[in-house]
Amino acid sequence: MERLMQLIRSDEYKPGDRLPSIMSMTRRLGVGHPTLREALRKLEVVGIVEIKHGSGVYIRRDQDMLLVSNPIFGGAITKKLILDLLEARMPIEIKAAGLAANHSTEAHLAKMTSLMETAAANLTNDAVLSPTNLAFHCEIALASGNTVLPQLLEVLNDLFRNEHRLILSIYGDRKKDHKEHMQILDAIRRKDEALSQKRMQTHLEGVRKVLSRWDPKQTPLG
């Protein structure tokens, strides 16, 4: 992300300008396509670029963006911290689900559907399943139409991404988790704001129960 921002600044791109092709940027930055696409996705979340599928990557024209730097956390990761993280996420995600029911586009719904298809095909592959599920939650925030919610969620998710994956891989019910995601998507597709919020709340409360059962002494992180 930092190197992409340097590229954007050094080449003096203006709002509305199209960035070079993916292939061109991977060669220039010396990274693979997946790494570049993930960095671009994060820049889209924080409002720097807009990804238009089939067209390219563009510098956002609007200026209603909030650049929130991901904090560098150096302290010990505790059960309380992870539960506090989830508590912070819940109002953001519940609100985002309701807004997504009202503002999601066909492109958002298609992306969510694609992510759920990937998740369904990888229920036993945590390396794929965990980031796919997180991407699903982030896509809901993007679909909310609120420019701040996806940025806040991205920051919170990045704090303890690996720890969530480890704990859920030990205690989580992948099939139940996937079913709940599909139910949330169904409510958003039906544009039912109340149901979308209710299903997101039920889902996150279930995740909280899973995390509350974690015993750090028996299953330490790291």
Side-chain angles (χ1 to χ4, degrees):
M1 285 178 65
E2 291 174 357
R3 293 175 65 193
L4 271 173
M5 285 303 301
Q6 290 173 1
L7 182 152
I8 290 169
R9 292 192 187 102
S10 64
D11 288 1
E12 298 182 349
Y13 287 99
K14 302 293 190 302
D17 286 352
R18 184 180 183 275
L19 292 181
S21 67
I22 295 292
M23 184 172 294
S24 174
M25 286 191 286
T26 56
R27 286 198 300 263
R28 181 167 176 178
L29 298 173
V31 297
H33 285 207
T35 299
L36 180 64
R37 290 185 186 281
E38 176 66 10
L40 287 170
R41 187 188 68 80
K42 290 189 176 185
L43 287 181
E44 183 180 37
V45 167
V46 298
I48 300 294
V49 303
E50 180 179 7
I51 300 173
K52 298 181 180 180
H53 298 285
S55 177
V57 182
Y58 296 81
I59 303 298
R60 287 279 296 269
R61 290 183 180 276
D62 54 84
Q63 298 300 312
D64 54 342
M65 62 182 69
L66 174 67
L67 299 183
V68 184
S69 299
N70 288 347
I72 298 173
F73 179 74
I77 297 168
T78 65
K79 178 176 179 177
K80 183 180 185 305
L81 274 174
I82 295 178
L83 285 169
D84 285 351
L85 168 67
L86 183 59
E87 291 286 351
R89 280 179 51 190
M90 287 181 71
I92 295 172
E93 297 213 53
I94 292 169
K95 181 66 175 179
L99 289 172
N102 292 322
H103 300 292
S104 59
T105 65
E106 288 302 318
H108 290 131
L109 293 171
K111 178 64 174 178
M112 291 180 211
T113 300
S114 175
L115 287 167
M116 286 299 91
E117 289 172 351
T118 299
N122 290 277
L123 291 181
T124 59
N125 184 351
D126 286 353
V128 175
L129 183 62
S130 181
T132 300
N133 284 340
L134 284 175
F136 174 71
H137 282 265
C138 287
E139 189 64 28
I140 291 174
L142 282 170
S144 72
N146 183 295
T147 59
V148 177
L149 291 179
Q151 298 175 56
L152 294 176
L153 184 59
E154 184 71 22
V155 171
L156 292 173
N157 280 340
D158 272 352
L159 282 172
F160 301 120
R161 190 178 298 267
N162 293 332
E163 289 71 26
H164 271 300
R165 175 181 163 186
L166 174 61
I167 294 170
L168 293 178
S169 72
I170 296 170
Y171 295 103
D173 184 335
R174 295 169 181 79
K175 290 184 179 179
K176 180 175 181 290
D177 194 59
H178 182 68
K179 180 180 179 181
E180 290 176 356
H181 282 158
M182 291 299 295
Q183 289 173 337
I184 293 167
L185 174 55
D186 172 69
I188 293 172
R189 183 180 284 117
R190 288 159 55 183
K191 298 193 176 299
D192 189 324
E193 179 180 357
L195 184 60
S196 297
Q197 290 185 316
K198 180 180 178 181
R199 288 180 174 177
M200 179 63 80
Q201 181 173 356
T202 298
H203 170 63
L204 293 176
E205 287 176 348
V207 174
R208 180 168 56 187
K209 289 180 182 178
V210 168
L211 292 175
S212 68
R213 294 199 301 268
W214 170 46
D215 185 345
K217 293 182 179 179
Q218 291 187 4
T219 313
L221 294 172

